[in-house]
Amino acid sequence: MRSGLRLKFGRPTRQDAVSGFVTGLFSIPEGMAYASIGGFNPLLGLYSGMVPTAVGSLFSRTVLMTTTLTSAIALTSQSVLAEAGLEPDDLNNVATLTVLVGVIMVLFGLLRLGSVMSFVSNAVMTGFTTGIAVQIIAGVLGDATGYETDAHNTLAKIADSVAHVGSWDLTSVLVAAGTVAVWAVVHAVPRLKPFAVLGALVVMTAVAVIFSLDVRTVGDIGAIPNALPHPILPDLSVLPDLLFGAVAVALVALAQAAGIGAAVPNPDGTRPDVSKDFTAQGLANLAGGFFRALPTGGSLSRTGVATSAGARTRWAGIFAGIFLALVVLVAGGVAELIPMPVIGGLILVIGGELIAGRIPDLRLVWRTGWLPTVAMLVTFVATTQLPLQQAILLGAGLSLLLYAVNAERSARLQALAREPDGRWRLTEIPDELPSDTVTVLHYQGAGLFAEVAKLDEAWPRLNGVRNAVVILHARTVPDVPSSTIIKALKRHAQDLSRYGCQLMIVGLDPAVARVLTRTGTADVLGAGNLIEQTPIFFEALDAAYDEATTWIESHRQQDGTGPPA
């Protein structure tokens, strides 16, 4: 049994312990900063790096993925609670949202919906994350400048703050600027780069304490006891108010985490499983919800900190949660001394890094075409103007629209001609179907209903044709083709039948063949005209072509138009 556990979890290493300690320390400023972004008590940001991080690492199939609070999750959670008319300071409301997000994530994982994330396009995610970065900067200007704007719109907050530079508090501005400067100096040293945020936090907090600077501190927001989070129960009465928003929070968290497996491969060579990562993040939220954690998900930035610090196995994440809990238990009260302008400066850095990190994607989307660019801009505007749960759902809808449009554009019919040596070459589709001939059409597409008009337009006209066979090579048809596609196939088969011709559909996946049989398409085609694919490419097509040629010759002889037998 022990050996089995070692195979599953790996043997913890010294590097894992070091990585866990560094990640745990890093979680103090970043967790507090992200909680502050969403208008939550910074203490909840600390708690979000304890139980959820350890549980997520315990079950994740992407073994180095760190599950914790992110800026996007914090902002979306705040937006969901505000939309439901619930206070973010009510811990029962937070617990309900976190547990509900966990249930939805587990459900997504059990239903094997990991592939759904691939439908969220890069254009939409670029617009969303860039909008989140702008929201982060707008939301922290009050802490960094000491000026609290009355504007509610994200872009209006930035404009109002810039317009009232004279109202900024000089001490707060200097502390925030000093924080950015210290971060930049430490960040410039390659070996110290993972400690840049922690270093800036410690140095500028020490400066503020030593010189007794008159700035707002974390302690002014809420006390941080030297104790672990006490268990709390969700408020079931608010479940209906949070259900829709919880789906949006789950989508935001899962979309952010979906690419971590590709970016950070498992050191042991095992393949990641996005659906099982969904389940792991869900279990992390189910556990964290009862211990005062905000909703969490896989964090690429925190995972990067862990790997840079030497993480080798999933134990790095488990240690990170344990070490953070120990630090809070031993020295939690010290965190009350952290100035809010320091957190504000760090968040400005985080927001700036997010924007800088998206510049290559912004350029890529811009150069790809006008449609992805419009989707990116619409998502960006929605993220900065609408509640985030509405923005992510709008983005998901845009992603599906982009997929459908691109699939429709890529759908095509191509004619194939067999060479004397048996090879197949592409040729032009005839405008009219020739008589006494086998015409092979190769279908390429996703089987969407939007493709039918395009395929009908390319289909050869039937003007007085006789004794002909059309072979539709449909190896790429998906397991569940659109019912509109099926109706179109039946219509073309019936049209050919009226002229004494035949339609054969070949190269089908067995699942597609069963669907066509169940829907009566096979009966319309006629016996033997529905042929499944084989492991050898074009083998089914070759067999169908020979059979169609024989059928044409036999009918020509019956009609007296062919050579005598």
Side-chain angles (χ1 to χ4, degrees):
M1 177 64 73
R2 289 183 178 178
S3 62
L5 288 174
R6 286 174 183 168
L7 285 173
K8 183 177 181 181
F9 296 106
R11 185 186 296 274
T13 65
R14 183 180 64 83
Q15 292 97 323
D16 289 325
V18 172
S19 173
F21 182 70
V22 171
T23 306
L25 289 179
F26 187 87
S27 297
I28 295 175
E30 192 173 76
M32 295 175 69
Y34 287 160
S36 299
I37 287 172
F40 297 100
N41 188 323
L43 187 59
L44 301 185
L46 294 180
Y47 294 159
S48 301
M50 295 180 187
V51 174
T53 299
V55 173
S57 294
L58 193 65
F59 293 102
S60 176
R61 281 293 294 269
T62 302
V63 298
L64 298 184
M65 182 174 72
T66 303
T67 302
T68 188
L69 180 65
T70 69
S71 56
I73 296 174
L75 283 170
T76 309
S77 299
Q78 187 275 336
S79 180
V80 166
L81 289 171
E83 188 78 6
L86 302 174
E87 292 295 329
D89 294 332
D90 189 325
L91 296 181
N92 298 100
N93 293 338
V94 173
T96 306
L97 179 60
T98 303
V99 170
L100 193 53
V101 168
V103 171
I104 292 168
M105 286 180 167
V106 170
L107 184 62
F108 281 4
L110 294 178
L111 293 176
R112 308 290 300 168
L113 295 181
S115 59
V116 170
M117 289 299 105
S118 62
F119 286 92
V120 180
S121 71
N122 179 62
V124 167
M125 279 306 298
T126 299
F128 181 73
T129 52
T130 305
I132 286 290
V134 173
Q135 275 219 23
I136 288 172
I137 292 172
V140 80
L141 287 175
D143 291 329
T145 66
Y147 171 75
E148 295 294 340
T149 177
D150 293 329
H152 298 288
N153 178 280
T154 298
L155 299 179
K157 286 181 182 179
I158 297 176
D160 185 59
S161 295
V162 173
H164 291 83
V165 173
S167 300
W168 290 6
D169 177 65
L170 181 60
T171 304
S172 297
V173 172
L174 290 175
V175 171
T179 302
V180 175
V182 173
W183 173 88
V185 171
V186 179
H187 192 265
V189 181
R191 296 189 64 180
L192 297 179
K193 192 173 181 179
F195 304 96
V197 172
L198 185 63
L201 175 75
V202 172
V203 170
M204 291 309 298
T205 298
V207 169
V209 171
I210 291 172
F211 292 98
S212 300
L213 299 180
D214 184 19
V215 291
R216 193 164 173 248
T217 66
V218 170
D220 294 328
I221 299 176
I224 301 180
N226 293 349
L228 298 178
H230 299 296
I232 190 171
L233 293 177
D235 182 358
L236 299 182
S237 65
V238 299
L239 277 176
D241 300 320
L242 294 176
L243 181 59
F244 179 78
V247 174
V249 176
L251 286 175
V252 170
L254 296 176
Q256 287 188 311
I260 294 179
V264 186
N266 290 337
D268 59 1
T270 57
R271 298 183 64 178
D273 186 320
V274 177
S275 293
K276 290 185 178 178
D277 284 343
F278 280 11
T279 303
Q281 293 169 79
L283 293 174
N285 280 289
L286 283 173
F290 291 98
F291 290 93
R292 305 180 182 235
L294 290 163
T296 57
S299 168
L300 183 58
S301 64
R302 202 77 59 90
T303 301
V305 171
T307 54
S308 298
R312 294 291 181 270
T313 71
R314 66 177 70 249
W315 284 100
I318 297 172
F319 286 147
I322 294 173
F323 283 141
L324 176 59
L326 291 176
V327 169
V328 171
L329 187 63
V330 174
V334 177
E336 294 181 14
L337 302 176
I338 299 174
M340 291 306 296
V342 170
I343 292 180
L346 291 176
I347 295 175
L348 287 176
V349 168
I350 292 169
E353 284 190 308
L354 284 173
I355 293 176
R358 295 314 265 178
I359 288 177
D361 282 327
L362 289 167
R363 290 173 177 165
L364 176 63
V365 174
W366 179 266
R367 294 169 180 171
T368 299
W370 69 269
L371 193 59
T373 301
V374 169
M376 177 181 70
L377 292 175
V378 169
T379 307
F380 171 79
V381 172
T383 304
T384 57
Q385 306 297 316
L386 299 175
L388 281 179
Q389 71 273 19
Q390 296 179 15
I392 188 59
L393 292 175
L394 174 63
L398 283 174
S399 291
L400 291 175
L401 178 61
L402 281 176
Y403 170 78
V405 170
N406 288 329
E408 189 274 336
R409 286 179 172 178
S410 64
R412 63 185 59 133
L413 278 180
Q414 295 175 305
L416 299 177
R418 188 156 73 167
E419 296 290 313
D421 61 2
R423 292 185 298 177
W424 293 91
R425 65 175 174 84
L426 291 175
T427 186
E428 293 294 325
I429 298 177
D431 292 332
E432 294 186 1
L433 191 67
S435 300
D436 301 318
T437 305
V438 179
T439 301
V440 178
L441 301 177
H442 174 71
Y443 168 76
Q444 180 179 319
L448 293 177
F449 61 88
E451 301 170 5
V452 170
K454 191 173 182 179
L455 300 182
D456 283 346
E457 183 179 346
W459 197 272
R461 295 190 300 273
L462 309 181
N463 290 338
V465 65
R466 59 183 177 80
N467 200 32
V469 176
V470 175
I471 297 178
L472 181 63
H473 188 242
R475 193 180 180 94
T476 62
V477 172
D479 290 354
V480 185
S482 161
S483 61
T484 309
I485 288 283
I486 294 175
K487 286 181 64 177
L489 293 176
K490 285 184 177 181
R491 174 166 44 82
H492 285 301
Q494 290 166 346
D495 289 344
L496 285 166
S497 178
R498 282 195 290 269
Y499 284 89
C501 302
Q502 286 196 352
L503 172 64
M504 302 177 71
I505 304 178
V506 305
L508 291 169
D509 181 276
V512 180
R514 287 193 294 270
V515 171
L516 295 183
T517 300
R518 191 167 60 244
T519 56
T521 309
D523 295 332
V524 175
L525 293 173
N529 286 344
L530 195 66
I531 303 175
E532 296 182 9
Q533 62 185 228
T534 68
I536 300 175
F537 208 82
F538 285 140
E539 184 177 53
L541 178 58
D542 285 329
Y545 187 86
D546 293 338
E547 183 179 334
T549 302
T550 301
W551 183 88
I552 288 175
E553 288 301 321
S554 66
H555 278 70
R556 288 179 65 189
Q557 292 177 17
Q558 292 174 12
D559 295 341
T561 59

